[in-house]
Amino acid sequence: MTFTVHPVYDMRVGLDRDRVRQMLGKPAQIRPIDSGRELWLYANNPKMHFVAVTFEAGRLDHMELRLDHDLEETPVIVMNLGEMGFTTSMSMYAGAAAASLLMQIELVDETRVRNLHNRAEGVVSVRTEPPGTALKHLAGILDRGLELPGVRSHIINPRADRTGVEVLTRIGADVASVRDDRISYMWRLLDERIVVMEVGV
């Protein structure tokens, strides 16, 4: 691949403490929460961010990535990791999480992706591009409609068949009316190119 992502995007529910320390380094603070639970805090890792990792019985069960724009303000939570996978409202974080996950999934033959595409319903677009261009294309899909009022979130996970990654985008006028809007699928081909397919829900 021609791009790299910060190890924070490689975090997964279920990782043990030693693995998290190996990936992110020594935390700035460790706080016990209650019986069997503890919180690790990382400051300025990545730059201008705080990472809060919660462990249950020694295993990662939740993570928050917070952005600190101004020392006068409370840091903004920009991404969560939990049982649903990564969730964020921002395409930059969604794209980085999707790229990290995609690098951990096996390469796929182009014929198989073509067969999946031919069977899919509601396909809006399909493009095959080098990694950097493909991620910019994905960001363009995720940013669509940003000028409209309301809320949005992106949920990033492996596809159910483990052939690639899916990014489910949900939108709504407010939190109470959020609904599924579209799914962006990504596959990494044997020649390292990436297929991005957008499907309406």
Side-chain angles (χ1 to χ4, degrees):
M1 300 293 267
T2 59
F3 59 90
T4 58
V5 294
H6 191 277
V8 74
Y9 299 104
D10 291 335
M11 295 291 101
R12 300 288 178 257
V13 168
L15 290 177
D16 63 31
R17 285 197 211 69
D18 290 342
R19 182 66 179 130
V20 172
R21 188 183 295 266
Q22 184 182 39
M23 294 168 77
L24 295 184
K26 182 180 178 182
Q29 293 182 41
I30 298 178
R31 298 180 186 169
I33 301 174
D34 52 38
S35 179
R37 290 178 60 80
E38 64 183 18
L39 173 67
W40 288 14
L41 295 173
Y42 291 87
N44 212 32
N45 181 22
K47 188 175 181 182
M48 294 181 64
H49 290 76
F50 293 90
V51 180
V53 183
T54 305
F55 294 91
E56 172 77 41
R59 298 279 176 181
L60 188 157
D61 72 341
H62 187 260
M63 182 190 78
E64 288 180 355
L65 184 62
R66 305 170 185 173
L67 179 61
D68 187 14
H69 281 299
D70 190 329
L71 294 176
E72 302 290 322
E73 298 178 11
T74 303
V76 177
I77 298 172
V78 292
M79 189 171 69
N80 286 283
L81 171 64
E83 290 298 334
M84 289 181 64
F86 280 106
T87 58
T88 180
S89 61
M90 302 179 184
S91 65
M92 180 181 92
Y93 298 99
S100 172
L101 194 55
L102 193 62
M103 286 191 283
Q104 298 174 41
I105 292 175
E106 288 187 24
L107 301 173
V108 182
D109 180 83
E110 190 167 3
T111 302
R112 184 170 185 187
V113 174
R114 192 176 304 113
N115 290 338
L116 292 169
H117 165 219
N118 290 338
R119 293 200 309 265
E121 296 181 4
V123 175
V124 176
S125 66
V126 182
R127 287 171 61 170
T128 304
E129 300 168 316
T133 307
L135 289 175
K136 287 178 184 175
H137 177 57
L138 174 66
I141 292 172
L142 302 184
D143 281 341
R144 193 176 305 135
L146 275 181
E147 71 283 358
L148 301 174
V151 297
R152 74 176 56 218
S153 68
H154 308 295
I155 304 171
I156 303 98
N157 278 302
R159 278 175 48 91
D161 63 5
R162 302 295 298 183
T163 60
V165 173
E166 77 170 36
V167 183
L168 169 63
T169 299
R170 309 188 78 219
I171 62 170
D174 52 42
V175 173
S177 64
V178 169
R179 60 175 175 77
D180 293 353
D181 178 59
R182 58 186 176 268
I183 300 176
S184 304
Y185 293 114
M186 299 175 69
W187 294 272
R188 189 160 55 114
L189 301 178
L190 298 176
D191 62 5
E192 296 287 350
R193 290 179 304 152
I194 293 176
V195 178
V196 180
M197 180 170 78
E198 180 187 6
V199 177
V201 177

